[in-house]
Amino acid sequence: SLSIVHGMAYSAEQDSKEADIQYSTIHVLDISVVKGIGLPQQALMVQLSCDTELRHREFSTDLVNNTSDDNAWHCWNAQTQFLFYEQPQQLTVRVMDTLESIGEYTHALDALFAIDAQTSFEGNVKLDGSHDGAEIELCIKCNTLRPLALMQNAAGLVSTLSENREKLQSLPQEHESVVQQHEQLQQELTAYQHDVKQTDDEYQDVQTEYTKV
């Protein structure tokens, strides 16, 4: 099962600083902690932390025991999402027991937030300070949202939707008008056909009289 927790701890002073700044970008960081390999055979958890000048985000998984004696796998299958107004520089991952760190890993985020770059990382990483080269499997996805641009796009879509609705409402009237024009043309065509036949009959009569003379 997936554990979803949003790290949202911040101070009133930070809120006051942010209230003085107009932000046009939101940086979204989605992290999945899948499993650990080669860790000590005991209950362990993973702690994630990420900081900017104004915000601190933190998330901890549940304590999980290893599930395989051969590989000492710890399966957390946990997810969280961090949101920042400023771009964070790095994500710190610590594997811990109830008291201390078993090992940690730091992942730089600049490349993941860069424009026209691969925006996700997925794989096993080695933990610093752990024994026997223990690893942890992570998935890190970064995305940049621009609310003002999204609002402008949404306003444009609303305007287009309104125009299309008006056009849609006018279509039955236009269809009725076309049907009426078609009926009128049919009537005019019938009248023209009658006139042509009458003219042809008159011509035939003239031809007959001329032949008699």
Side-chain angles (χ1 to χ4, degrees):
S1 62
L2 297 178
S3 302
I4 302 176
V5 178
H6 295 264
M8 299 297 289
Y10 51 89
S11 68
E13 181 181 356
Q14 289 169 331
D15 274 348
S16 177
K17 289 181 180 179
E18 291 180 357
D20 295 334
I21 304 174
Q22 293 183 351
Y23 291 98
S24 60
T25 303
I26 296 176
H27 301 278
V28 183
L29 185 61
D30 290 297
I31 311 125
S32 298
V33 181
V34 184
K35 65 178 182 287
I37 303 171
L39 292 166
Q41 296 186 20
Q42 64 187 85
L44 298 173
M45 67 178 180
V46 178
Q47 184 182 79
L48 307 173
S49 62
C50 194
D51 297 279
T52 65
E53 181 181 352
L54 297 177
R55 290 284 181 174
H56 171 74
R57 296 283 187 260
E58 188 174 291
F59 166 79
S60 296
T61 70
D62 295 332
L63 281 167
V64 173
N65 283 299
N66 61 300
T67 56
S68 169
D69 292 336
D70 295 332
N71 297 309
W73 281 17
H74 289 73
C75 294
W76 291 283
N77 289 326
Q79 292 182 335
T80 190
Q81 182 182 81
F82 295 154
L83 304 178
F84 296 94
Y85 290 120
E86 300 171 297
Q87 179 182 312
Q89 300 302 310
Q90 63 184 30
L91 172 71
T92 301
V93 182
R94 294 184 181 89
V95 177
M96 306 181 65
D97 59 17
T98 54
L99 298 176
E100 62 182 1
S101 172
I102 302 298
E104 70 176 55
Y105 167 76
T106 300
H107 193 97
L109 301 175
D110 282 347
L112 295 182
F113 279 112
I115 299 174
D116 299 328
Q118 182 73 23
T119 58
S120 65
F121 166 84
E122 186 171 359
N124 291 358
V125 296
K126 293 187 179 298
L127 296 172
D128 296 330
S130 62
H131 62 88
D132 297 330
E135 298 180 351
I136 186 171
E137 182 179 343
L138 296 173
C139 180
I140 305 170
K141 296 181 180 180
C142 296
N143 190 20
T144 301
L145 302 178
R146 293 173 174 80
L148 295 180
L150 292 175
M151 290 175 63
Q152 291 173 352
N153 292 338
L157 291 175
V158 169
S159 177
T160 301
L161 178 61
S162 178
E163 293 175 0
N164 289 338
R165 282 177 174 171
E166 291 178 359
K167 291 179 180 178
L168 185 61
Q169 291 175 352
S170 68
L171 285 178
Q173 297 177 350
E174 293 180 6
H175 176 263
E176 182 65 25
S177 176
V178 170
V179 170
Q180 292 176 358
Q181 291 178 15
H182 174 73
E183 292 175 350
Q184 183 178 352
L185 289 174
Q186 282 289 100
Q187 293 173 0
E188 292 178 0
L189 177 61
T190 300
Y192 290 148
Q193 289 174 337
H194 177 268
D195 292 343
V196 169
K197 184 178 184 307
Q198 184 177 357
T199 302
D200 185 63
D201 290 343
E202 291 176 356
Y203 175 76
Q204 292 297 330
D205 291 342
V206 171
Q207 284 287 89
T208 302
E209 292 296 325
Y210 178 79
T211 302
K212 289 180 181 181
V213 173

